[in-house]
Amino acid sequence: YIYGYSSQKPIGYGGMAEVLLTYDPSNRPFAIKVLKANRFKAGRRRFSREFRTLSKMHHPNVIQVDSYGDIYGHPYIAMEYVDGTDLHKEIRSFRDLALADRWERIRLILIDLCRGLEHIHSHGVVHRDLKPSNILIGQDGRCVITDFGIVKELNSDVEKSAALVGTWAYASPEQITGQE
């Protein structure tokens, strides 16, 4: 039981956390991201930063957070539940579309992503792990950027490191070479 939320069902997982589908007292669905025990050392700080960063952002193409807490010593973030799929799975379904429909769907996805990224960047933040599996697509077709675990504020020295953070296959040339 997570305070204020019930009916927990696993819906996703990653290297840092597991995600559960829950409901608040008014029966609205929420996704609860719970930090894994083996990731506490670096994860607690990242989780806290992720919540603080997202709590300042309000945009339809950026995941919305509701609360931050602790359940049996595990930090969690309650956020908007996006009923749908991720961009990685969506791309695989494109082969079933006619070419004109495929290009129109790609155009709409890119518009949503650009709007979300513009909003993120207007807050002085860089995502640093933007990839298809971190973009959710709702039943209505809306794209939502998620997983802000390794965000960086442009005017901060948070986690300055020579090590690459994020996913190599999707990293920018600046990330790979260690440049600004």
Side-chain angles (χ1 to χ4, degrees):
Y1 177 80
I2 298 174
Y3 180 76
Y5 303 95
S6 62
S7 301
Q8 301 158 23
K9 172 182 139 187
I11 56 172
Y13 61 92
M16 295 285 291
E18 295 183 28
V19 181
L20 307 168
L21 172 61
T22 64
Y23 296 88
D24 72 358
S26 64
N27 210 32
R28 289 183 307 163
F30 281 88
I32 305 284
K33 183 176 179 179
V34 182
L35 184 64
K36 292 180 179 178
N38 65 346
R39 303 305 295 222
F40 277 7
K41 189 173 182 180
R44 284 184 183 276
R45 187 176 65 248
R46 287 181 178 178
F47 243 56
S48 175
R49 185 175 61 234
E50 179 176 6
F51 179 76
R52 281 193 322 272
T53 299
L54 285 169
S55 66
K56 298 173 191 168
M57 295 188 201
H58 304 285
H59 192 276
N61 303 117
V62 177
I63 197 76
Q64 300 298 293
V65 294
D66 183 63
S67 62
Y68 177 84
D70 191 270
I71 178 70
Y72 304 115
H74 293 259
Y76 73 85
I77 299 172
M79 60 188 76
E80 151 189 28
Y81 172 64
V82 179
D83 186 14
T85 188
D86 65 37
L87 183 56
H88 180 77
K89 292 175 187 153
E90 180 82 359
I91 289 169
R92 292 178 180 265
S93 74
F94 287 175
R95 69 184 89 143
D96 300 333
L97 298 175
L99 190 57
D101 294 335
R102 186 181 311 173
W103 284 113
E104 178 60 13
R105 185 66 192 119
I106 291 167
R107 185 182 74 78
L108 294 173
I109 288 169
L110 289 173
I111 288 170
D112 276 0
L113 291 178
C114 288
R115 287 177 178 158
L117 287 170
E118 178 182 41
H119 186 75
I120 292 165
H121 296 163
S122 75
H123 282 81
V125 172
V126 178
H127 188 282
R128 298 201 305 176
D129 199 20
L130 193 64
K131 58 186 176 182
S133 61
N134 285 343
I135 298 161
L136 299 177
I137 301 179
Q139 296 289 332
D140 60 357
R142 175 179 61 113
C143 295
V144 180
I145 300 169
T146 65
D147 199 349
F148 284 67
I150 58 173
V151 297
K152 179 160 180 71
E153 294 179 24
L154 292 174
N155 47 357
S156 102
D157 290 334
V158 175
E159 283 194 25
K160 239 184 188 174
S161 170
L164 174 71
V165 293
T167 306
W168 271 97
Y170 299 100
S172 69
E174 296 84 1
Q175 281 178 281
I176 293 171
T177 60
Q179 298 173 355
E180 288 188 19

